[in-house]
Structures are given as C-alpha cells and as structure tokens.
Amino acid sequence: MVPFSQKPNFKFSFFILLFSVSQLLVLNSGFELDESLTYIWPLPSEFTSGNETLTVDPTLSLSVSGKRGDSKILKEGFERYKKIIFKHVYGVSVFDKLRGIRSAYDITELKIIVNSDSEELQLGVDESYTLFVANNDGKSIVGEATIEANTVYGALRGLETFSQLCSFDYGTKSVQVYKAPWYIKDKPRFSYRGLLLDTSRHFLPIDVIKQIIESMSYAKLNVLHWHIIDEQSFPLEIPTYPKLWKGAYTKWERYTVEDAIEIVSFAKMRGIHVMAEVDVPGHAESWGAGYPDLWPSSSCREPLDVSKNFTFDLISGILSDMRKIFPFELFHLGGDEVNTDCWTSTPQVKQWLNDHKMTAKDAYQYFVLKAQEMAISKGWTPVNWEETFNAFASNLNPRTVVHNWLGPGVCPKAVAKGFRCIFSNQGVWYLDHLDVPWEEVYNAEPLEGINSVSEQSLVLGGEVCMWGETADTSDVQQTIWPRAAAAAERMWSEREVGSVGNVTLTVLPRFHYFRCLLNQRGVQAAPATNYYARRPPTGPGSCYEQ
C-alpha cells in the first residue's frame, strides 16, 4: 500500500503543467507595437514622420528666443521634462568613459521660440505650437529640435509632445527619437478641457492635488475644477468668516489661503487654470457648523436660509476672499439638486416667502441670480449646473456658462438660446461611475446634436468629474486614470480621430501605451480594460496589454 503522502496528485500535477505552459507563453509573447500607429497622446491635429532614428544628448540644452527668453515657466518646464526624458540616462556611461569613447548625438539643443511676451492665463489662451525634430543637414553643427508657439503655454504643450517622442533604448542606454524627421502642427479642439476634483467628500492633501495637476499636463488637460466644499465638509480658510472651516472633518483636514494660492501657482506653471466652486444654495450644510444662522433651522439645514441678509453678506465675503486666490475668469456657483422643502417647512422662511409673494421655485431663482450678480461684480463669469438652465433659462444672466451633467441633449438646448456650455454627461464622463468602459468615455462627443457652426463655437469644451464619495488618496489616481485620458483626446484632437476605423484596433493600443507612460512617470493609472475602473490587474502580463 502506497503511503498517502506518496500518492501522485494528478490534479495538482496537471495544474502545475498548465501553469508552467502559461508562464512560458507569457514569457515568450513579446509585445510588439503596431508601427502603423502614432504613439502620441492626445493625437496632434497635423503631423508627418519619417523612418530615421535620432539620438538625444543627455546634456540637452535649452535655447529660448522670441519675446519670452527669460520665462520662468519655460525654463522650469524644460527642467521638469528633462528629468522625465533622461530618467535612465546619466551622461556618458561608465564603460565608455573607461574606453575613452565620447558619444556623438543627433540632437543636442532644444530651441523654443515664443512670439508673445504675455503670460496671462485665461480662457482661450493660445495653446497651439509647431514642433520640428530632424537630424542636422550637414551644414549645421547641431541637430534640430524646435518648438515654436505664440505663448509659453503652447510651448509647454509642445514640450509634452517632444517628451513623448523620446524613448529610452535599453540596449544602447540612450534616448532616441524614432520615425524622424517629425513635423507636428498642433492645437486644441476645445479651449476648456477639465477635470473636476472633489475635496469635500474626502480631503485630499496638497501634494496629492499637485500630483493630479502634474498628471493632467501629460494629457494636455487645462482646467482643474476644484469642488472644494460641499454639504459634508468646508475645508477652505475664509479670513472674513473664519468660523466657516469649523465645517472641516477635523482640524487637520483643511486648506489655508496659502495652500490654495500654492495650488493655483503650481497649476499655472503647467498651463492649467483652477476654477473654484461654491455650490449654492444647496450642498451647503457644512457652512452652518461655524455659522448656524445659515440653516433655516437646526433640524432642517439646507438649502441656505434665503430669508436672511446675513446669508448673502457671507456669500459676498466668501467670494471677495476667493477672488484674491483664483484669477481664472470662470467661477462655479453650483445651483444643482436644490430641495426647497426646508424653506416651505420652516415658519420664518415660509413667512418671508409669503411676504415677498414668492413660491419656493421663485426663491431658488432669486438666490441663484443674486449669487450670479455678486460673482459678476467681482469680475467673474458665472458657471452653473444645468438645473438652473432647466428651471429658469430665460432669467439667467446671459453670460452664464451652463454646465451639463444630468444626461445628453442639454448643450444643444443651451447654445440654441445663446448660452455657452460645458459638457459633462454623467453617463459617460463621471469617473466615479466605475462601470463605464474606456471606449464609451472616448466615443462621447461634446458637440453631439449641434450642427450649426455658430452654436458649436458656444461649447467651451468638456470636463470629466472625479466625485469623491468613494475616492480618497488611496485610490483617486487609479479612478481618474487612464479613463480621463480618453476624454482628453476627445477634447484636444480633431473629431475625426476617433471615428476612423475600429477603436479597438486604432485607438486601444495607443491608449495602453499612454497608460504605461503614465505608470512610468509615477502616476498610479489602473489597467485600461478591466470591467470596473481602478481594479488591479487580474494576473501577470505586460502593461501594454491590460
């Protein structure tokens, strides 16, 4: 009788055999790029390439000419990208030094020409650029890599594209540019290409916000919509009303004025606007932690009390303080999901409504319009969620930017009435909807249903929204990326890019490649094709195929 421990376990042996074969398949399935595709994300509007391979000097120098030769934005941007491009390169290799070999490089200098001396960052700033990368022609001492742009912000976009052309070759331990010469003429399709970040549902540390801004620049997104406060918490310091940040979750989960200024400055250095939001009159319960008089009653805490002058004095104070922090011309005033039951069920507010011959809906309109007037008086253009347009479009200030979110079809109605619009249809561009696959994000079209050229021009662009109920520092980057990049190409590249051929064949390999590029740059971008976003890989495999 064979002892039990010596009996052959056929199931186990078969499993081991299958596992071994699968590992051999993994190890031997060398991934090859489809050379017919262009691995730049988002895809430039015009470009040509060749079949040469050029080497880039790890001591690459910068030459800036034109009207911004002293630009701090450009110089710091160049140093950032130099660290990215030459992450694996440290000058001449140890072995070459020992052999006395000195390498010759095709590209030793990056020339940047900027035609404007203005560094003002406002909506519609020119982000176009041309990029030329070629070997020297035999007459020049150095190779050619030139970015020309009308503004420093266009030059930054060109720097990002140049960085994506540069690849580290592990065999030669050098940085190379394949398929040269490159000629790229590029500009964004939309002026507003946003990402909403919610820091009320979960507090995000300053360094995390900076990491997200940095990653936005890689995909050429240019607006951080900072949804700082909401009913759950009020983390921002407001000097005029210092008790407001008693509404923060804890005394450690707060943003000082200096923190917010630092975020705006950090973003500007990367060509990114910061649009703040104060969502009124709903979504404001946390305000009453410091100022209980803002609540209609202690048991009915939002919307904010429409009947008190103090409510509007405080909003004016908030806007005055925030105007010193946020220079971007757009300011978001919310206005969504306003349940007016508190107004009609609280005796003193109900009395005020009767005295002013207002229904609750009238009071909602009154509140929104009054907040708009305040924002406009401080030099801002108001942005409101679509409920305000749906409820009283004819009375909204004509400068209002309508922010779509509830579903499709709102932007066509808004632009038909002369309003500008931002597209954020929750069915495709809400990143907290984890079951929306990348291709649905990619195929969403901000101009859907809008055929008139004049009306199309009123669509500023779009925004993917990272609502924070189930996202904090532990998973926010994985939830944003890579799906936000799918929307980023839709907002930057020509409309036809995504409609040519099968996206699984023409776009997905490029999408995988960009996700891996994000990973290489330290961004925690999740696998591209998992059924639920932000899920980890389901097994071993190449970054370029999951």
Side-chain angles (χ1 to χ4, degrees), residues 106-126:
D106 299 309
I107 298 169
T108 60
E109 182 181 67
L110 176 63
K111 300 176 183 177
I112 299 181
I113 304 161
V114 178
N115 298 319
S116 169
D117 60 0
S118 173
E119 292 188 350
E120 184 180 7
L121 183 63
Q122 286 293 358
L123 184 66
V125 68
D126 191 336

Side-chain angles (χ1 to χ4, degrees), residues 229 234 238 240-245 278 280 284 286-288 290-294 304 308-322 367 374 378:
I229 54 185
F234 196 118
I238 302 294
T240 304
Y241 291 92
K243 295 180 184 178
L244 277 169
W245 71 355
V278 172
V280 292
S286 63
W287 301 28
Y291 297 95
D293 283 353
L294 294 168
L304 295 169
K308 292 176 181 170
N309 290 332
F310 174 64
T311 300
F312 297 100
D313 291 342
L314 184 136
I315 291 173
S316 180
I318 291 174
L319 296 182
S320 293
D321 284 356
M322 292 180 80
F367 201 120
M374 291 180 193
K378 300 179 194 311

Side-chain angles (χ1 to χ4, degrees), residues 355-393:
D355 292 345
H356 289 79
K357 296 182 172 56
M358 283 190 193
T359 64
K361 184 179 178 181
D362 294 334
Y364 168 43
Q365 175 182 301
Y366 166 79
F367 201 120
V368 167
L369 298 184
K370 199 169 177 71
Q372 283 195 336
E373 288 171 12
M374 291 180 193
I376 291 168
S377 73
K378 300 179 194 311
W380 270 318
T381 296
V383 183
N384 282 100
W385 294 109
E386 69 176 72
E387 285 95 327
T388 59
F389 172 79
N390 296 338
F392 43 87

Side-chain angles (χ1 to χ4, degrees), residues 191-212:
S191 61
Y192 185 110
R193 306 179 306 281
L195 167 70
L196 178 147
L197 196 62
D198 173 9
T199 58
S200 172
R201 276 51 181 257
H202 283 99
F203 178 83
L204 295 174
I206 288 294
D207 283 350
V208 174
I209 298 175
K210 286 182 176 180
Q211 289 164 13
I212 291 167

